[in-house]
Amino acid sequence: YTSRLLGSNSKLVLHGGGNTSVKGQILDIDNVTHNVIYIKGSGSDLESIDVSGFPAVKIDPLVNFVKMDKVSDEKMINFLRKNLIAHDSPNPSVETLVHAIIKEKYVDHTHSNAILEISNRPNGCMLLHKLFHKNFIIIPYVMPGFLLCKKVFENYKKSKNIHGLILCNHGIFTFADKAKRSYDLM
């Protein structure tokens, strides 16, 4: 629902940027049911994405993986590929672990111009906190990868009744148990 709507809005998603996910279940080749996250694959464009652009990744191992202390981004990418349901799928987004630890079914992530206009100022994180702290977790810039996931995990697990995450100098995540609600929050 949200992927093409967000992808067609250039104020939210730069060409090819941003990502969306939905959690569900799937049978693997051995007829075993897995909880999975369908996440935008690297190289896919949200404006024109179809089902082939959303690799299914086993979610339970991902949630446990986040609890590790330190992991190289190369090891993280290999772990994501190891947990693909179809091994010929595109690489899952580098932010797959962030999507996986969020318990809500639908997760949307954009590089919103409006959010970046605020966050990229010298006192941007402080302004974001002042404007959004009641409904969003505000996280200072961390390069996407395992370190970002750890930072999100630490903050998300202790927060209640939030609508999303704002990553300074990066973008915004919204999430909900209904796709339209996540989109409306964005």
Side-chain angles (χ1 to χ4, degrees):
Y1 177 83
T2 63
S3 300
R4 289 187 186 162
L5 287 172
L6 294 172
S8 65
N9 185 339
S10 62
K11 292 180 181 176
L12 292 175
V13 178
L14 304 174
H15 177 76
N19 45 59
T20 58
S21 68
V22 62
K23 295 168 182 82
Q25 292 187 322
I26 194 170
L27 285 173
D28 69 11
I29 197 167
D30 297 318
N31 213 28
V32 175
T33 301
H34 295 277
N35 294 320
V36 294
I37 184 168
Y38 296 93
I39 183 138
K40 178 191 161 222
S42 293
S44 297
D45 185 351
L46 283 179
E47 186 173 16
S48 59
I49 198 165
D50 63 19
V51 70
S52 67
F54 289 95
V57 187
K58 297 173 198 167
I59 200 165
D60 297 331
L62 301 183
V63 172
N64 289 326
F65 189 74
V66 173
K67 296 173 185 171
M68 295 180 73
D69 287 333
K70 190 174 180 184
V71 173
S72 71
D73 287 341
E74 182 179 88
K75 184 175 180 180
M76 178 190 74
I77 297 297
N78 286 335
F79 189 80
L80 293 175
R81 288 219 48 88
K82 174 185 171 197
N83 285 284
L84 286 169
I85 294 296
H87 295 289
D88 60 347
S89 296
N91 279 338
S93 165
V94 70
E95 292 159 338
T96 298
L97 292 174
V98 173
H99 285 250
I101 61 173
I102 294 169
K103 69 179 186 306
E104 286 80 4
K105 183 172 182 169
Y106 297 91
V107 181
D108 297 322
H109 168 53
T110 70
H111 305 135
S112 161
N113 288 346
I115 293 298
L116 293 174
E117 279 290 323
I118 299 168
S119 80
N120 291 357
R121 297 168 186 242
N123 59 348
C125 273
M126 184 177 66
L127 287 170
L128 288 169
H129 187 72
K130 187 175 182 178
L131 292 168
F132 298 106
H133 78 278
K134 291 181 182 173
N135 297 311
F136 287 82
I137 297 169
I138 312 300
I139 298 176
Y141 181 78
V142 177
M143 189 170 164
F146 189 75
L147 292 178
L148 173 61
C149 183
K150 289 294 286 185
K151 187 63 124 175
V152 169
F153 182 65
E154 291 166 7
N155 285 276
Y156 176 78
K157 70 181 178 181
K158 60 186 174 186
S159 298
K160 304 228 184 295
N161 301 320
I162 58 163
H163 302 307
L165 312 164
I166 298 177
L167 310 177
C168 294
N169 309 106
H170 181 144
I172 180 171
F173 283 79
T174 57
F175 36 82
D177 286 324
K178 301 282 184 192
K180 185 175 184 332
R181 174 74 174 142
S182 184
Y183 177 76
D184 289 345
L185 288 167
M186 184 61 69

